[in-house]
Amino acid sequence: MPRFNTLKSEAAWRELITTDKDWKAADANMLRSLLVSMHLIRAFEEKVLELAGQGLVHGPAHSAIGQEGGAVGSVLPMRASDQVNGSHRAHHQFLAKTLHYVSPEGLDLAAPINEKTQWLLQKTLAEILGLDQGFCRGRGGSMHLRWAEAGVLGTNAIVGGGVPFAAGAAWAHRYAGTGDAAFTYFGDGAVNIGSVLETMNLAAAWKLPLCFFIENNRYAVSTVVDEATAEARLSARGQAFNIPSWKVDGMDPLAVYLATQEAMEVMRRGDGPTIIEVDVYRFYHQNGPMPGSAFGYRSKDEEKAWRERDPLDLVAAKMIELKLIDKDDVHSLRYQAQQAMEKAAAELLDMSGKKPAIHDHLWPSRDFVDALVRGDLSEFDGAHYVEQEQFNGKLEERKFIDAVAGVMNRRMEQDERIVVMGEDVHRLKGGTNGATRGLSERFPDRCLGTPISENAFVGLGGGLAMDGRYRPVVEFMYPDFMWVAADQVFNQIAKARHMFGGDGSMPLVLRTKIAMGSGYGSQHLMDPAGIFSTSPGWRIVAPSTPYDYVGLMNAALHCEDPVLVIEHIDLYNVKGLVPTDDLDYLIPLGKAKVLREGTAVTVLSYLNMVHQSLEVAERLGVDAEVIDLRSLDRDGLDWETIGASIMKTNNVLIVEQGSVGTSYGTLLGDEVQRRFFDYLDQPVQRVHGGEASPSISKVLERAACAGPEEIEDGLRRVLAEQGRSL
């Protein structure tokens, strides 16, 4: 018979229940702030539901009526410099944090509404209505609320999607040594999301001051928590990751407050993340002013039982019992909160017609629709740009991969904000290809080897960039891994600046390599340019020489937008000229380069295919003008250079290596024909790979990818259409 040992988790896991002694010992001013905050939030939410019922809220109205105790109880122990983010149901958390920010001395029960709180209520309501005076200028609405100054990183419509961003803020706090903490709020529906669990693991491994605050309101829309997981005590997740956890009654705000104080002690002394699970109940349906029972998934008896545990009533009753207030004070507070919301709504609504309507002049201008998808590059004013042909210093031949490592060493030496992270970047003498050589030895606290969890670490990078104190450089070992982290890459990082109304920047660099020809098969060898070029927000650079790599990486690290830097393994061992004593110059974003002049056809390409195009044109003696695009995003295409060439040659061949299905040339060819149709003697011709992704078989891999033979065929086609067959 085998012998068994009983194993125990090392993480503390406790349920906290308040007693009468706790209420008697509680600070009276804290209790007053608790009650006032909850009443202001309740009145706010009721007004939102009223307006939603009148059809004035465009989109969802996820109210948190019934859940105010969890938000306020957790916010009151925070500093102004602590940061929070949340999910789609976050009005209460946003208001709790911002009310505490505008009134750090506490909210006055006798005069709960002052100029600052009235301004805050109106501005938040304006955002939910989609108006220009809102915090995100109407772009965020109910689900995307951000006020960085007050410590609100931004709430999120993707379930669990904002959790990795909060880890980025927590890393910034830990590295800066401020003692501050970050809180990420999410519900029972998000607990089983991969990005949440990945982030729990990463935060614990790196001892980040991050509180995972779980609002267990029992229902993900209509799915009961017991249906979604075999362990409905959601704070049990902490046992798997060695995270100390608390389970409390969220309808008891004092219990939440006390648990948060304990969690704060853990995080502020540097002992890593915490979990607080609060049992709460949303009094209404997932969205809108109807109760859940109206949709059949909850009973009226259940709703009645929870309403009898209203956190506002509990705190008021305890304070009356302690003779801190009387019933008239409660009625007065309720009335003043409701009047404040009436006043806020009156400023936004036109009541002159049969039905209330929003004042026309309050809507954002239609011209604002695409503004601030990315920045205006004003950060480059006065930048030191030098093309290779104009460089006056000493140049020497170096391998491409040595230039990659060299410029990163130089930038991290010069800029203490830069943080490099990715799988194995700290080992193997510079990661899997040597791109980070020397960084872990010179900057061990800023060269971070990550777990295999792209969602968590690229999302952490996004939060780190949005925090503003650091500039993350994230490596995806292969570009196909972007699909694993697609939410963070495309829904979060790419959209953040625009979604939050242009508030803040996203200075993140994402490095990856195309590995076609390496035999790694279908899930490692894609070219990401076509996918990223369809995602508003990303800038894309694709250097084809070591000199250009240095200048474009310097530009990427100077940029306030997220920049994808694509490399190619075929170039890593290719030698090219690089300055011996100047790695600080920049190559402009959005500037293509003519590498070979000609009059018969314009060849547009990037990365290794630039060199192959040059070689084939030379071998065939074709009078081709070859342009290295270098910048590939929609905003970065150099139409001046491209257009001048097309007007001269009247023919275009786009050359890329990868699959037709994810082809970058699709976007490029369409734009060329729209802009220069009158100058073209024939449709834009293209060279690209097959439909299928590359296979392991050497023969099938070569057949799937474009190469010299396909480029030659493309040039012959273009010339044949001109009646100039080779």
Side-chain angles (χ1 to χ4, degrees):
M1 291 289 290
R3 183 168 57 87
F4 295 95
N5 291 326
T6 300
L7 301 178
K8 285 185 177 182
S9 168
E10 295 183 5
W13 184 26
R14 298 192 295 170
E15 183 173 12
L16 187 152
I17 303 167
T18 58
T19 65
D20 287 341
K21 288 184 178 179
D22 296 314
W23 285 96
K24 291 176 181 176
D27 179 77
N29 287 329
M30 184 277 292
L31 292 177
R32 293 187 185 97
S33 288
L34 194 66
L35 186 64
V36 173
S37 296
M38 289 195 298
H39 269 280
L40 291 176
I41 294 168
R42 176 67 59 86
F44 181 92
E45 293 283 61
E46 288 172 340
K47 177 54 71 174
V48 169
L49 290 185
E50 178 188 326
L51 297 177
Q54 295 171 338
L56 295 173
V57 177
H58 184 61
H62 299 110
S63 82
I65 293 176
Q67 299 185 194
E68 300 92 344
V72 179
S74 60
V75 162
L76 288 184
M78 294 184 193
R79 305 167 179 167
S81 51
D82 292 321
Q83 293 173 303
V84 306
N85 74 357
S87 64
H88 57 284
R89 189 182 316 282
H91 304 166
H92 55 323
Q93 296 144 8
F94 178 84
L95 286 171
K97 185 69 166 76
T98 54
L99 283 167
H100 190 39
Y101 177 74
V102 299
S103 300
E105 70 287 347
L107 292 163
D108 187 353
L109 184 65
I113 308 300
N114 56 37
E115 185 177 342
K116 290 180 180 178
T117 55
Q118 186 65 49
W119 168 85
L120 174 61
L121 294 171
Q122 181 177 320
K123 193 172 181 68
T124 309
L125 183 61
E127 183 57 47
I128 290 171
L129 294 177
L131 307 184
D132 187 61
Q133 67 178 264
F135 280 99
C136 303
R137 299 189 63 182
R139 282 187 177 153
S142 174
M143 298 186 288
H144 310 111
L145 297 166
R146 171 175 163 84
W147 187 17
E149 178 188 320
V152 181
L153 295 164
T155 64
N156 209 283
I158 301 297
V159 174
V163 173
F165 266 45
W171 191 95
H173 293 322
R174 194 203 70 176
Y175 189 77
T178 61
D180 292 330
F183 275 62
T184 184
Y185 294 90
F186 53 94
D188 48 280
V191 166
N192 304 309
I193 292 282
S195 58
V196 173
L197 299 172
E198 286 184 28
T199 307
M200 285 182 177
N201 177 68
L202 186 57
W206 288 3
K207 290 193 174 297
L208 303 183
L210 174 60
C211 179
F212 298 91
F213 195 95
I214 306 169
E215 289 185 310
N216 186 354
N217 66 22
R218 306 173 66 84
Y219 293 92
V221 186
S222 63
T223 301
V224 185
V225 67
D226 293 338
E227 297 177 282
T229 179
E231 176 52 272
R233 299 169 302 172
L234 304 180
S235 47
R237 271 56 175 178
Q239 300 294 286
F241 301 110
N242 197 19
I243 302 175
S245 306
W246 287 259
K247 181 176 175 60
V248 298
D249 178 5
M251 309 305 272
D252 178 351
L254 181 59
V256 179
Y257 178 84
L258 295 174
T260 304
Q261 282 188 317
E262 291 191 1
M264 279 294 196
E265 289 179 11
V266 171
M267 294 185 289
R268 296 208 196 282
R269 68 173 177 251
D271 287 347
T274 58
I275 292 174
I276 299 176
E277 176 193 2
V278 298
D279 290 316
V280 291
Y281 198 80
R282 54 173 165 83
F283 290 172
Y284 290 88
H285 178 52
Q286 161 78 356
N287 169 36
M290 301 290 287
S293 56
F295 298 87
Y297 63 89
R298 301 198 303 207
S299 70
K300 292 183 178 179
D301 287 344
E302 177 186 309
E303 290 173 341
K304 180 175 180 292
W306 279 93
R307 281 184 176 274
E308 289 173 353
R309 300 182 56 217
D310 192 322
L312 278 68
D313 294 343
L314 172 67
V315 174
K318 290 291 186 181
M319 291 179 70
I320 290 171
E321 184 180 319
L322 294 169
K323 300 189 183 329
L324 297 174
I325 58 172
D326 58 31
K327 289 184 178 180
D328 288 341
D329 293 325
V330 179
H331 292 314
S332 174
L333 173 58
R334 169 77 168 157
Y335 176 77
Q336 290 182 75
Q338 290 174 323
Q339 288 302 112
M341 289 312 304
E342 290 298 325
K343 181 178 179 181
E347 292 292 322
L348 305 176
L349 301 179
D350 180 358
M351 305 298 291
S352 62
K354 292 182 179 180
K355 294 181 178 179
I358 292 170
H359 285 295
D360 286 340
H361 69 277
L362 297 179
W363 294 109
S365 168
R366 289 175 61 89
D367 296 338
F368 190 55
V369 62
D370 285 334
L372 302 172
V373 168
R374 55 187 70 80
D376 61 4
L377 300 183
S378 58
E379 63 269 29
F380 286 90
D381 292 346
H384 174 51
Y385 295 123
V386 185
E387 294 284 0
Q388 184 174 330
E389 293 73 15
Q390 285 77 50
F391 188 81
N392 293 322
K394 184 179 178 182
L395 297 167
E396 67 177 5
E397 279 205 341
R398 296 181 64 190
K399 286 183 179 180
F400 193 106
I401 195 64
D402 293 335
V404 175
V407 70
M408 285 309 306
N409 271 272
R410 175 62 175 170
R411 291 279 64 77
M412 293 186 75
E413 176 184 85
Q414 294 293 305
D415 190 345
E416 294 184 351
R417 298 174 299 166
I418 295 174
V419 180
V420 172
M421 66 185 75
E423 295 156 4
D424 295 301
V425 296
H426 63 320
R427 299 270 165 77
L428 306 176
K429 297 182 179 180
T432 54
N433 293 98
T436 55
R437 187 181 301 123
L439 301 185
S440 62
E441 292 82 10
R442 298 185 66 196
F443 317 104
D445 55 344
R446 291 190 286 133
C447 183
L448 312 175
T450 65
I452 300 174
S453 54
E454 279 80 7
N455 256 312
F457 70 73
V458 75
L460 184 149
L464 194 59
M466 183 174 272
D467 174 85
R469 285 175 283 181
Y470 301 98
R471 304 184 78 89
V473 179
V474 181
E475 178 182 309
F476 275 2
M477 194 179 292
Y478 293 94
D480 307 63
F481 299 172
M482 71 178 178
W483 297 119
V484 179
D487 175 49
Q488 298 302 314
V489 170
F490 301 118
N491 260 333
Q492 310 297 339
I493 293 168
K495 295 179 180 178
R497 182 195 281 265
H498 182 266
M499 183 170 71
F500 293 121
D503 176 33
S505 56
M506 182 58 72
L508 177 143
V509 172
L510 177 59
R511 288 183 50 250
T512 194
K513 62 175 183 280
I514 298 173
M516 293 180 197
S518 66
Y520 268 71
S522 297
Q523 296 174 330
H524 284 69
L525 304 184
M526 77 176 296
D527 177 350
I531 300 299
F532 274 83
S533 67
T534 65
S535 177
W538 279 98
R539 296 187 184 273
I540 309 167
V541 295
S544 66
T545 68
Y547 184 95
D548 282 2
Y549 188 93
V550 172
L552 287 170
M553 176 54 83
N554 282 335
L557 287 168
H558 194 73
C559 187
E560 294 296 323
D561 295 320
V563 183
L564 172 68
V565 178
I566 312 176
E567 303 158 14
H568 200 294
I569 62 165
D570 283 0
L571 299 175
Y572 279 164
N573 289 318
V574 173
K575 289 186 176 181
L577 294 174
V578 178
T580 58
D581 55 0
D582 179 6
L583 294 180
D584 297 330
Y585 63 91
L586 279 68
I587 299 291
L589 299 178
K591 184 64 177 174
K593 187 174 185 179
V594 178
L595 298 184
R596 183 180 191 269
E597 293 192 357
T599 60
V601 56
T602 297
V603 177
L604 303 176
S605 192
Y606 56 96
L607 290 175
N608 62 323
M609 299 304 276
V610 170
H611 303 287
Q612 293 191 33
S613 297
L614 287 168
E615 292 166 4
V616 173
E618 288 290 337
R619 175 167 55 82
L620 297 178
V622 177
D623 188 20
E625 182 147 299
V626 179
I627 296 178
D628 184 354
L629 294 169
R630 301 198 296 191
S631 287
L632 305 182
D633 55 275
R634 186 181 295 273
D635 189 61
L637 283 166
D638 182 359
W639 291 113
E640 182 179 351
T641 298
I642 295 169
S645 180
I646 293 172
M647 292 176 193
K648 177 172 59 173
T649 68
N650 308 116
N651 298 279
V652 175
L653 178 66
I654 298 172
V655 177
E656 59 185 321
Q657 186 178 27
S659 167
V660 64
T662 55
S663 168
Y664 175 70
T666 302
L667 176 147
L668 182 59
D670 176 70
E671 285 290 334
V672 167
Q673 295 196 150
R674 288 173 185 275
R675 291 168 182 262
F676 303 105
F677 181 83
D678 291 342
Y679 295 93
L680 293 173
D681 289 343
Q682 61 178 297
V684 171
Q685 299 282 358
R686 291 170 55 197
V687 172
H688 50 69
E691 180 179 2
S693 52
S695 306
I696 293 290
S697 165
K698 190 173 184 179
V699 172
L700 294 178
E701 180 186 49
R702 173 62 189 88
C705 305
E709 293 89 345
E710 288 76 17
I711 297 172
E712 178 175 339
D713 179 65
L715 287 171
R716 289 182 181 276
R717 276 187 282 118
V718 172
L719 293 174
E721 289 294 327
Q722 301 176 47
R724 301 168 58 183
S725 299
L726 286 171

